[in-house]
């Protein structure tokens, strides 16, 4: 069964770190259970087709936001109209100032998001915009809308039909909602409630992320709506550790502040005072909207040029964390950090704290959690997490298998594409020779390597026995093979944990080690990881110099070269 996932992932004007992460976690969880899925590259209703995600300032200038800098409030407005005008006026000025200040940084941050998605997602080649989704062809057996604030009513745009899987090409396919959220709720009119009921009636199963929304959906529709964890919790600490990139050149221990959306003055003040008291540096990854309220001077460092994997690294390495973000709370829990929570509109942050019995982490004007709250007992939190992770995972898996059975759809296991193997060795001098008689193969000779490409295409489910080493290297002993593949233009290496990792993940983690295959070894490595690999696997011969013991190739040099190229991509635009 082919499943299409719609979520908030790439197309966020704020470049929210969590959006690519929760979609990645959800897709990986399905993959872990043999379920094929593709992320639909969907541009929501609130994203204008003309919007430039790389240089947003251009878009806002073209749409006259700069006029707000000199604009005067019209006369004759009521008090309510004056409030609305002032709010929109201030928002335009804030937006222009934000993207003017971040003009050179924003493209780099955007490319880091794209790099992460290209390295980790299976997604559609096409981008589908809300306005023309009805006219598109989508070839999926089932659709899942997966988390964050996707079922919110926007005062200017209304509900987003795409997030309700209500577009024409989706109408006859079964639908599932996982960890849906409505965000800050200010009430709906009868007409809005009627529209919501029409959108949700066709769903086979719905689970909400917040209990208040689960209860509301049940009241409106009569459907049983369980409360489930956000997708990031479906994967464990080890999974997130492996993709987190620790801060570079960060010698001092630090307190991390990550505040979003609101002014977050309380979080800023509390974090500054706490870091000073502890003698720690304060690192701030907050949104620009929050940072405008920072004092002009202080022992803090503001960083904007950060990608999702780097954001995870800052959380994992922090001594303490201050935040008003749902997902910063989530990853603080996953990484077992001591964290404190400031004010935030809506109830999603309250929900996650209540879920794990951590309400005492919230500080207010009358309660100082940094003084009163005891250190978090993660043995207790861990038990709650395991119970709720299992229940959440069971919901989505049961919903998928129920759909499969009800609609008599094909099984959910991958239809794995065939793949080929390429054997190669460095060719730095004439002492390397190729024993062609061991292969009935095609030969390709390049400037710095000699390659053998078997004519055979291996079945996508095959257990492969590696060929006998076809190379002889005078003065060297053959040690085995390193394996590399290319996924969306990004190199990945096979490691001892049974996964393919990017160069950055390997270089930044001492516990991720390259796997060295032995000559003629049998392995299912190429079939077990087909979800996030290419269709060709490059096996690099590893040699040891008999005189000095040196190993070639210098794999660390190769990894660093790959990582450098990866980072160069983030600066191209």
């Amino acid at each position: 069964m082919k499943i299409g996932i719609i979520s908030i992932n790439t197309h966020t004007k704020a470049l929210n770190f969590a959006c690519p992460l929760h979609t990645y976690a959800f897709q990986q969880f399905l993959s872990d259970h043999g379920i094929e899925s593709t992320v639909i590259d969907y541009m929501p209703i609130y994203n204008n087709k003309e919007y430039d995600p790389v240089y947003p300032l251009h878009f806002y200038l073209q749409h006259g936001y700069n006029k707000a800098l000199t604009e005067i409030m019209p006369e004759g407005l009521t008090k309510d109209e004056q409030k609305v005008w002032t709010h929109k006026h201030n928002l335009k000025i804030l937006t222009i100032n934000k993207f003017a200040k971040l003009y050179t940084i924003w493209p780099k941050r955007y490319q880091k998001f794209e790099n992460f998605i290209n390295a980790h997602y299976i997604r559609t080649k096409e981008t589908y915009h809300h306005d023309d989704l009805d006219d598109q062809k989508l070839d999926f057996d089932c659709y899942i809308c997966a988390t964050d604030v996707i079922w919110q009513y926007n005062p200017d745009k209304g509900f987003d039909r795409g997030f309700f899987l209500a577009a024409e090409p989706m109408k006859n396919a079964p639908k599932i909602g996982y960890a849906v959220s409505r965000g800050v709720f200010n009430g709906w009119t009868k007409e809005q409630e009627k529209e919501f009921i029409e959108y949700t009636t066709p769903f086979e199963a719905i689970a909400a992320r917040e209990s208040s929304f689960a209860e509301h959906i049940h009241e409106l529709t009569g459907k049983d709506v369980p409360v489930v964890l956000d997708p990031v919790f479906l994967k464990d600490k080890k999974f997130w550790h492996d993709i987190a990139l620790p801060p570079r050149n960060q010698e001092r221990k630090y307190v991390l502040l990550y505040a979003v959306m609101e002014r977050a003055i309380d979080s800023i003040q509390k974090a500054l005072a706490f870091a000073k008291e502890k003698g720690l540096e304060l690192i701030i990854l907050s949104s620009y909207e929050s940072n405008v309220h920072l004092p002009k001077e202080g022992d803090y460092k503001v960083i904007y040029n950060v990608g999702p994997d780097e954001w995870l690294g800052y959380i994992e390495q922090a001594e303490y964390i201050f935040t008003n973000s749902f997902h910063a709370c989530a990853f603080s829990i996953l990484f077992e950090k001591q964290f404190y929570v400031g004010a935030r509109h809506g109830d999603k942050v309250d929900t996650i704290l209540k879920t794990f019995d951590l309400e005492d982490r919230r500080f207010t004007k009358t309660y100082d959690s940094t003084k009163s709250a005891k250190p978090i007992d993660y043995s207790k939190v861990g038990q709650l997490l395991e119970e709720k992770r299992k229940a959440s995972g069971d919901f989505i898996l049961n919903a998928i298998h129920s759909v499969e059975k009800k609609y008599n759809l094909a099984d959910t296991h991958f239809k794995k594409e065939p793949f080929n193997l390429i054997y190669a060795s460095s060719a730095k001098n004439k002492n390397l020779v190729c024993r062609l008689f061991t292969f009935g193969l095609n030969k390709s000779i390049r400037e710095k390597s000699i390659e053998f490409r078997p004519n055979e295409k291996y079945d996508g489910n095959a257990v492969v026995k590696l060929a006998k080493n076809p190379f002889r290297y005078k003065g060297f002993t053959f040690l085995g093979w390193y394996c590399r593949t290319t996924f969306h233009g990004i190199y990945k290496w096979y490691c001892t944990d049974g996964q393919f990792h990017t160069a950055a993940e390997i270089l930044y983690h001492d516990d991720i080690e390259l796997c060295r295959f032995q000559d003629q070894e049998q392995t299912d490595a190429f079939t077990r990881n087909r979800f996030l690999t290419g269709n060709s696997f490059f096996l690099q011969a590893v040699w040891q110099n008999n005189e000095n013991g040196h190993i070639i190739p210098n794999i660390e040099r190769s990894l660093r070269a790959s990582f450098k190229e990866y980072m160069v991509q983030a600066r191209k635009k």
Side-chain angles (χ1 to χ4, degrees), residues 286-404:
S286 303
S287 64
Y288 176 86
E289 292 82 351
S290 173
N291 289 341
V292 295
H293 300 283
L294 285 168
K296 291 183 178 180
E297 296 181 358
D299 187 15
Y300 64 80
K301 180 165 57 178
V302 178
I303 306 173
Y304 287 109
N305 184 17
V306 175
D309 39 13
E310 294 170 306
W311 181 70
L312 288 176
Y314 275 104
I315 292 176
E316 184 179 26
Q317 299 300 318
E319 299 296 313
Y320 302 93
I321 296 165
F322 283 76
T323 189
N324 66 355
S325 155
F326 174 94
H327 282 102
C329 290
F331 283 109
S332 294
I333 292 168
L334 282 162
F335 285 128
E336 301 183 356
K337 312 302 292 187
Q338 299 298 322
F339 68 102
Y340 304 98
V341 184
R344 182 76 188 273
H345 297 320
D347 66 347
K348 61 182 182 179
V349 173
D350 292 331
T351 296
I352 192 173
L353 295 179
K354 185 176 181 180
T355 297
F356 294 103
D357 195 20
L358 295 173
E359 292 102 320
D360 64 347
R361 312 316 293 178
R362 170 86 82 174
F363 52 82
T364 66
K365 291 181 179 179
T366 58
Y367 173 74
D368 186 353
S369 57
T370 66
K371 305 290 187 185
S372 302
K374 295 180 180 179
I376 299 173
D377 179 0
Y378 273 105
S379 62
K380 178 182 176 182
V381 173
Q383 290 177 355
L384 290 171
L385 176 55
E386 285 304 313
E387 293 170 6
K388 296 180 184 301
R389 176 183 285 147
K390 184 179 185 308
S392 299
D394 286 348
F395 165 81
I396 189 60
L397 294 177
N398 290 338
I400 290 171
H401 294 312
S402 176
V403 162
E404 179 187 47

Side-chain angles (χ1 to χ4, degrees), residues 42-97:
Y42 176 62
M43 187 177 291
I45 191 172
Y46 49 75
N47 260 33
N48 191 302
K49 276 186 179 180
E50 302 170 0
Y51 183 75
D52 185 350
V54 182
Y55 291 102
L57 182 63
H58 295 173
F59 172 82
Y60 291 112
L61 290 175
Q62 290 169 3
H63 286 74
Y65 273 51
N66 54 314
K67 295 178 182 178
L69 299 172
T70 56
E71 197 173 16
I72 300 175
M73 182 187 294
E75 296 181 358
L77 299 180
T78 65
K79 287 187 177 180
D80 287 342
E81 289 172 337
Q82 287 177 10
K83 288 181 180 179
V84 172
W85 186 93
T86 301
H87 173 73
K88 291 184 176 180
H89 175 78
N90 292 340
L91 183 60
K92 288 179 180 179
I93 292 175
L94 182 65
T95 300
I96 285 292
N97 289 338

Side-chain angles (χ1 to χ4, degrees), residues 419-438:
F419 62 90
N420 63 291
L421 302 181
I422 302 169
Y423 298 85
S425 183
S426 300
K428 293 184 177 181
N429 57 52
K430 295 181 180 179
N431 289 332
L432 177 69
V433 296
C434 314
R435 298 182 294 179
L436 288 174
F437 57 85
T438 61

